[in-house]
Amino acid sequence: MRIRAAAVAAVLTVLAAAGCSGDSTPLARPAGPSAEAPAPAGPATAPDTSCRPRASLRPPATLPEPGKMPAGSYMRTIQDRGRLVLGTGQDLLLFSSRNPFTGRIEGFDVDMGRQIADAIFGDPDKIQIKVIPYDKRISSAHDGSVDLVANTLTANCARWKDVDFSTIYYDAAKRVLVSSTSKARGMGDLGGRKVCAARGSTSYDGIVSAASKPVPVARDTFGDCLVAFQQNEVDAISTDDAILAGLAAQDPFVEVVGEPLSQEPYAMAVSKEHPEFTRFVNAVLARNRANGTWKRTYERWLPDLGAAPKPPAAEYRD
């Protein structure tokens, strides 16, 4: 076993519900095989390329002043309610995790939501965080049970059919996590070896379709994958580098290796019922790219990933 049993138990407690970036099916997913056994390998679903997934709704030229949202807009509905309801996770270190000392859920994704609350109210604390499982991220935005979802959520064409997305606020890339003593330097070195990803994720699809023919293993969450890895049940984990960074921060005996396997552009999801709110969110993101807020947010949460890059450029579809 790579680390002590007590450490494994701690990870079970902290990460049991950790999410993934890429659930393959946006709204509904058939029940998968037992988490106790490797999922059968099969052909990966071909990605939907029918749209420009990075392109969102063009923002207005100016933002309304905080506390003065236009009558009849969804922003006014949120203002009158007195809080923005943000859907996110609580177990994804660096992006959205519960601080064990304060009990607050915090991270890069949470700050994205707080910045929207600040633009509506002039107060980033006027936010209600609703913890949602990763397989409810699309449905929670779709049915309006939250105003906004920010939870390492990849914008893709299949999901655009169910929700609207903001412009991209973070570019992740799929890579591989292995033991620091492993000779594997990427997926190409893992042929015949067990590689774990969350059930129903695009990360799992990537393992299935890998040319090196690793053995794909499904678990309910990436926290479960980490525990399986620490108990020597699997040889590696594959998912977005942002998620792997959070896992690696909790285990000194791992490293993230390999060239990017795919690009995963993160965006916030909004109900299609409120395009004016999506445009408002995009205006806030555009302002924050320009005034340095995005850079400061990156430096607060992600300094271990290196110097802050340029924020993802906005693309619009109208």
Side-chain angles (χ1 to χ4, degrees):
M1 189 173 295
R2 291 186 176 91
I3 62 175
R4 297 174 306 198
V8 174
V11 172
L12 276 165
T13 300
V14 174
L15 289 174
C20 74
S21 71
D23 36 314
S24 299
T25 48
L27 288 180
R29 182 177 297 110
S34 169
E36 297 304 315
T45 302
D48 184 344
T49 58
S50 61
C51 75
R52 294 167 53 213
R54 302 178 69 95
S56 185
L57 305 180
R58 190 174 299 276
T62 59
L63 279 165
E65 293 182 24
K68 298 181 179 179
M69 296 298 106
S73 70
Y74 192 66
M75 297 82 78
R76 183 59 174 265
T77 298
I78 295 170
Q79 177 185 311
D80 291 346
R81 183 200 304 142
R83 67 191 185 281
L84 170 77
V85 182
L86 174 70
T88 191
Q90 64 175 345
D91 308 282
L92 193 54
L93 192 65
L94 307 180
F95 278 80
S96 56
S97 63
R98 191 175 296 278
N99 186 312
F101 300 103
T102 66
R104 289 166 58 95
I105 296 174
E106 59 188 23
F108 190 90
D109 278 346
V110 176
D111 276 8
M112 291 293 109
R114 289 170 62 83
Q115 289 159 17
I116 305 305
D118 191 37
I120 293 173
F121 298 101
D123 182 352
D125 290 331
K126 288 195 173 183
I127 188 169
Q128 175 188 342
I129 294 178
K130 183 173 181 178
V131 174
I132 54 176
Y134 85 88
D135 59 351
K136 300 296 184 184
R137 294 173 300 170
I138 296 299
S139 62
S140 295
H142 177 79
D143 65 19
S145 56
V146 300
D147 299 320
L148 187 68
V149 172
N151 191 10
T152 62
L153 180 59
T154 299
N156 62 37
C157 295
R159 291 171 176 163
W160 265 104
K161 295 172 182 176
D162 297 312
V163 297
D164 283 343
F165 282 105
S166 71
T167 53
I168 305 307
Y169 67 85
Y170 185 84
D171 273 314
K174 280 191 173 64
R175 296 179 69 196
V176 177
L177 180 145
V178 297
S179 167
S180 56
T181 62
S182 173
K183 294 181 180 179
R185 297 294 89 190
M187 190 70 80
D189 299 324
L190 291 166
R193 309 295 293 274
K194 293 180 180 179
V195 182
C196 191
R199 188 182 318 283
S201 69
T202 55
S203 298
Y204 180 81
D205 292 344
I207 300 168
V208 171
S209 62
S212 58
K213 298 189 182 302
V215 178
V217 176
R219 292 289 187 268
D220 287 338
T221 71
F222 279 103
D224 294 333
C225 279
L226 182 59
V227 173
F229 174 82
Q230 291 169 328
Q231 294 177 334
N232 289 323
E233 296 173 1
V234 299
D235 301 289
I237 302 169
S238 181
T239 187
D240 303 354
D241 51 6
I243 294 174
L244 294 179
L247 300 181
Q250 298 171 76
D251 187 336
F253 304 107
V254 303
E255 60 180 330
V256 179
V257 300
E259 294 299 316
L261 301 171
S262 67
Q263 297 302 311
E264 303 295 330
Y266 292 172
M268 290 181 269
V270 178
S271 168
K272 284 185 174 292
E273 297 291 323
H274 310 301
E276 79 281 12
F277 184 43
T278 301
R279 295 180 191 276
F280 177 87
V281 169
N282 286 341
V284 176
L285 290 174
R287 181 191 66 186
N288 290 353
R289 291 186 195 98
N291 68 14
T293 298
W294 186 94
K295 182 175 184 288
R296 290 189 293 273
T297 306
Y298 184 100
E299 290 171 342
R300 178 185 183 191
W301 295 109
L302 307 175
D304 290 344
L305 299 184
K310 290 184 179 179
E315 296 182 26
Y316 301 116
R317 57 176 58 197
D318 64 352

